[in-house]
């Protein structure tokens, strides 16, 4: 592991999350044989299906380790022709991470992170979470037979996510405060070696999550021109950046996608720094957004997020709650993909980028749909009232109102 600030190096077997010398975040680096590292890319999908562990030569896990897996990764890359038509873009895809076992991209990081926890002999895992991290860590810890503690902001976590953490047997602690308070607390608690920390500070999480970039490369037969991705604590954008850079280092591509990171307006410290051209991200004290997954004011990975965007000629955008909910509705009703609000932020930014001509209409865009819409059903149902009718055909037809002629014929 190498410190991103001072460059100090540490063995992957050391149980540290930050550079003991300067407190910087750590990156996993490999001394590897190129032919070995290229193996996954020349292996048939029949032999090794598309999944996180397809890329095991590129992951920092020993051959003898007990792999804790729920069959994560291998998610669809779905062509969105209706969106393309509507926005006047040539090629748009969604990387549908809602297909993962617990319904979000976090499972990619947790299969590697929890495997590492077991390798290191940890007994109890811990994380702070806006929801999905806690669902995923709870499930993988259950599978591994580890105890799990999760700290979540009281009253600010979506119902689906909370129910997952509870049923998988985690000790769920609702903290009076936001995600940033929860993260501060788990950082403090993990100085006690009884707790193994699995937030995206943990470099092994990033390693698992980078496999999504490898999959996109294999599914598209190359790298996309633009990558639209929501930013919360900025771990996932860091992971994609690392994944695409590794593809380049391996000589599989000579370019990177433009990174189009997006935050919710009410929690957009990285966006502020980006538009000011500043190298410092000033935390937001108060944050509010309907996209509770990315309701974060002090993103720990901000430095790498800004670098990924600047080095690839991309941008950071911010979208309002209205834009997020509208994008969620469009994606669900035009493409059949139900994304949770944080994930719909990437579509909201795509829509904005198309309208404001921030991307070339002939370019190829991939939007990362980070989590399934069923995680947060309240956000949809709050806006509708179901109409009840009597149980007879006339009442039902009347309630249906107008239908197209073609459909009406089949109805009769
Ligand atoms: N989308 C969803 C659905 C998320 O749950 C998160 C983060 C993000 C995007 C942003 O990813 O933090 O790596 O930049 N959720 C974390 C959690 C914070 O606790 O579940 P990021």
């Amino acid at each position: 592991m190498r410190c991103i600030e001072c460059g100090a190096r540490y063995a992957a077997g050391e149980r540290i999350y930050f550079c003991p010398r300067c407190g910087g975040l750590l990156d996993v680096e490999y001394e590897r044989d190129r032919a070995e590292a290229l193996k996954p890319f020349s292996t048939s999908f029949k032999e090794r299906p598309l999944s996180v562990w397809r890329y095991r030569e590129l992951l920092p896990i020993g051959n003898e380790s007990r792999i804790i897996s729920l069959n994560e990764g291998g998610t669809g890359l779905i062509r969105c022709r209706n969106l393309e038509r509507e926005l006047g873009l040539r090629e748009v895809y969604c990387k549908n991470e809602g297909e993962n076992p617990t319904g979000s991209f976090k499972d990619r990081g947790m299969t590697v992170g929890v495997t590492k926890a077991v390798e290191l002999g940890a007994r109890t895992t811990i994380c702070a979470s806006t929801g999905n991290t806690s669902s995923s860590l709870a499930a993988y810890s259950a599978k591994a037979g580890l105890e799990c503690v999760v700290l979540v902001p009281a009253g600010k976590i979506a119902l689906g996510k909370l129910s997952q953490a509870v049923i998988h047997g985690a000790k769920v602690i609702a903290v009076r405060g936001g995600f940033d308070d929860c993260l501060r607390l788990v950082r403090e608690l993990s100085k006690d070696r009884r707790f193994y920390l699995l937030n995206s500070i943990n470099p092994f999480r990033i390693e698992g999550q980078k496999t999504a970039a490898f999959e996109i490369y294999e599914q598209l037969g190359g790298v996309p021109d633009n990558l639209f991705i929501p930013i919360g604590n900025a771990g996932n954008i860091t992971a994609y950046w690392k994944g695409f850079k590794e593809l380049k280092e391996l000589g599989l591509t000579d370019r990177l996608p433009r990174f189009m990171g997006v935050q919710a307006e009410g929690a957009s410290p990285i966006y502020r720094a980006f538009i000011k051209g500043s190298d410092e991200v000033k935390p937001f004290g108060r944050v509010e957004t309907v996209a509770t997954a990315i309701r974060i004011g002090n993103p720990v990975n901000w430095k790498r997020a800004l670098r990924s965007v600047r080095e690839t000629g991309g941008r950071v955008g911010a979208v309002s709650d209205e834009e997020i909910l509208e994008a969620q509705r469009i994606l669900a009703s035009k493409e059949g993909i139900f994304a949770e609000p944080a994930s719909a932020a990437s579509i909201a930014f795509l829509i904005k980028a198309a309208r404001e001509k921030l991307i070339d209409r002939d370019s190829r865009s991939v939007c990362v749909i980070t989590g399934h819409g069923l995680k947060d059903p309240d956000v949809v149902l709050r806006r509708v009232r179901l109409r009840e009718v009597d149980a007879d055909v006339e009442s039902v037809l009347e309630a249906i109102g107008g239908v197209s002629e073609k459909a009406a014929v089949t109805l009769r």
Side-chain angles (χ1 to χ4, degrees):
M1 296 181 284
R2 184 194 287 274
C3 172
I4 69 164
E5 304 291 343
C6 75
R9 294 171 76 178
Y10 305 94
E14 283 193 53
R15 195 165 153 178
I16 48 172
Y17 316 100
F18 301 96
C19 176
R21 236 205 278 168
C22 76
L25 292 168
L26 302 169
D27 244 349
V28 175
E29 274 188 359
Y30 297 81
E31 282 159 20
R32 62 186 159 206
D33 179 66
R34 188 164 174 272
E36 192 63 8
L38 283 171
K39 213 159 115 190
F41 299 98
S42 53
T43 303
S44 78
F45 290 114
K46 208 169 151 202
E47 212 172 305
R48 271 197 215 179
L50 201 63
S51 71
V52 169
W53 294 102
R54 175 175 169 83
Y55 306 103
R56 58 176 168 253
E57 285 84 356
L58 295 111
L59 295 173
I61 299 294
N63 281 338
E64 305 75 38
S65 290
R66 183 179 142 225
I67 305 277
I68 309 300
S69 172
L70 291 166
N71 197 16
E72 48 294 309
T75 58
L77 184 73
I78 297 163
R79 181 91 186 248
C80 296
R81 293 190 190 271
N82 295 327
L83 262 185
E84 287 169 4
R85 213 170 301 123
E86 201 125 312
L87 300 175
L89 298 172
R90 189 170 59 90
E91 264 182 79
V92 174
Y93 300 83
C94 280
K95 180 65 173 160
N96 193 13
E97 291 288 280
E99 292 172 25
N100 275 299
T102 75
S104 84
F105 70 94
K106 305 286 179 179
D107 298 340
R108 289 183 189 274
M110 288 308 174
T111 185
V112 176
V114 173
T115 294
K116 198 71 189 178
V118 171
E119 201 179 82
L120 293 171
R123 283 289 186 52
T124 307
T125 57
I126 194 168
C127 73
S129 182
T130 57
N132 283 319
T133 300
S134 72
S135 313
S136 184
L137 182 59
Y140 283 83
S141 299
K143 177 86 176 161
L146 302 178
E147 229 183 357
C148 174
V149 179
V150 305
L151 272 63
V152 297
K156 293 292 183 185
I157 144 168
L159 205 65
K161 306 174 187 181
L162 189 57
S163 67
Q164 287 176 292
V166 168
I167 199 69
H168 291 306
K171 287 185 180 153
V172 181
I173 320 280
V175 173
R176 286 188 209 103
F179 170 84
D180 301 303
D181 297 302
C182 296
L183 189 61
R184 173 175 53 79
L185 291 167
V186 296
R187 281 173 73 156
E188 192 61 36
L189 287 166
S190 63
K191 288 182 188 155
D192 176 337
R193 289 178 60 85
R194 281 179 304 171
F195 298 110
Y196 186 68
L197 181 61
L198 271 163
N199 278 101
S200 57
I201 296 164
N202 185 314
F204 302 111
R205 280 262 320 268
I206 305 287
E207 291 305 295
Q209 288 172 210
K210 78 182 178 188
T211 58
F214 301 161
E215 289 184 8
I216 291 172
Y217 164 82
E218 296 212 75
Q219 288 169 308
L220 271 185
V223 303
D225 299 307
N226 313 301
L227 182 83
F228 287 85
I229 180 166
I231 305 176
N233 215 15
N236 209 29
I237 191 170
T238 299
Y240 274 79
W241 188 42
K242 188 158 194 285
F244 282 115
K245 276 194 303 189
E246 287 187 13
L247 291 172
K248 197 170 166 208
E249 281 156 22
L250 289 171
L252 292 168
T253 174
D254 53 10
R255 63 193 187 95
L256 303 179
R258 291 173 71 209
F259 274 57
M260 305 288 279
V262 58
Q263 297 195 292
E265 270 172 11
S268 52
I270 299 181
Y271 168 71
R272 295 268 162 234
F274 177 78
I275 51 168
K276 275 203 228 141
S278 160
D279 285 332
E280 273 306 311
V281 166
K282 283 214 194 84
F284 274 30
R286 284 178 50 141
V287 279
E288 207 46 78
T289 167
V290 68
T292 53
I294 51 174
R295 187 175 169 274
I296 294 176
N298 189 13
V300 69
N301 284 298
W302 63 265
K303 221 171 238 179
R304 288 185 283 194
L306 268 184
R307 271 188 214 154
S308 71
V309 168
R310 291 199 172 127
E311 275 187 21
T312 60
R315 280 171 179 271
V316 185
V319 289
S320 68
D321 281 1
E322 295 72 51
E323 288 170 316
I324 288 172
L325 294 175
E326 177 64 0
Q328 184 189 36
R329 194 187 59 75
I330 291 173
L331 186 66
S333 62
K334 305 271 179 213
E335 296 291 350
I337 299 172
F338 186 15
E340 69 165 280
S343 315
S346 60
I347 301 293
F349 192 26
L350 173 81
I351 294 171
K352 200 175 241 185
R355 289 202 181 124
E356 294 174 11
K357 305 210 167 14
L358 303 178
I359 53 171
D360 184 8
R361 69 167 307 284
D362 283 327
S363 62
R364 217 186 209 187
S365 298
V366 169
C367 299
V368 183
I369 303 302
T370 46
H372 201 290
L374 286 173
K375 292 273 192 173
D376 192 358
D378 289 348
V379 86
V380 177
L381 294 177
R382 263 206 302 269
R383 287 175 290 158
V384 295
R385 269 230 350 248
L386 289 190
R387 184 170 157 193
E388 275 185 24
V389 298
D390 291 332
D392 59 68
V393 168
E394 289 72 39
S395 309
V396 173
L397 272 179
E398 195 220 300
I400 291 170
V403 285
S404 72
E405 267 314 300
K406 217 167 144 198
V409 172
T410 48
L411 262 180
R412 272 193 212 111

